[in-house]
Amino acid sequence: QVQLVESGGGLVQAGGSLRLSCAASGRTNSRYDMGWFRQAPGKEREFVAAIRWSATNTYYTNSVKGRFTISRDNAKNTVYLQMNSLKPEDTAIYVCAAGDSSRSYYAPRDAYNYDYWGQGTPVTVSS
């Protein structure tokens, strides 16, 4: 089992920045690909960004490209989401997820690719 705990959310004005963190504990000796998803009020959960275990590949949804950056520090079992130029439409609960990196088929944008989920951290962007 892997436990994921997000932090760093909060209230920020449009144009501001936040840095989210996701700390993993438990069975962290395995290799996990990581992802960030978000769910806004009244909307379905959507993919935001993902990064492979080796950090050689990153993926973003179009709406955050050029504004958000996903990174990881495997020594600290932590993945980050740097969010710049925030917009009111970025307001959501942000959740990190971990998926076994050994799976034969990798679909970073699909929720079924991930085995473990955190509880989420809220991000509110005011206009």
Side-chain angles (χ1 to χ4, degrees):
Q1 289 288 336
V2 173
Q3 293 78 43
L4 302 173
V5 179
E6 303 92 338
S7 61
L11 173 64
V12 64
Q13 289 187 334
S17 298
L18 284 174
R19 187 196 194 201
L20 306 184
S21 299
C22 173
S25 61
R27 192 179 177 182
T28 56
N29 57 322
S30 297
R31 297 183 175 186
Y32 294 98
D33 301 317
M34 301 297 293
W36 284 97
F37 289 75
R38 65 187 180 186
Q39 187 164 16
K43 295 187 177 181
E44 294 186 353
R45 180 176 57 191
E46 66 169 343
F47 167 78
V48 177
I51 186 168
R52 299 224 65 172
W53 160 258
S54 60
T56 53
N57 298 91
T58 57
Y59 309 83
Y60 299 93
T61 191
N62 286 339
S63 64
V64 308
K65 283 182 180 177
R67 300 188 299 123
F68 290 13
T69 303
I70 189 171
S71 62
R72 67 187 300 160
D73 184 338
N74 289 340
K76 296 182 178 180
N77 295 319
T78 301
V79 64
Y80 305 97
L81 186 67
Q82 177 66 45
M83 306 187 297
N84 299 328
S85 302
L86 282 161
K87 304 176 181 180
E89 51 263 44
D90 294 318
T91 295
I93 303 293
Y94 284 71
V95 182
C96 72
D100 187 342
S101 186
S102 67
R103 62 188 352 117
S104 58
Y105 179 70
Y106 179 56
R109 296 173 175 81
D110 294 329
Y112 71 78
N113 184 78
Y114 300 92
D115 307 297
Y116 304 100
W117 295 81
Q119 293 297 309
T121 184
V123 171
T124 303
V125 184
S126 63
S127 57

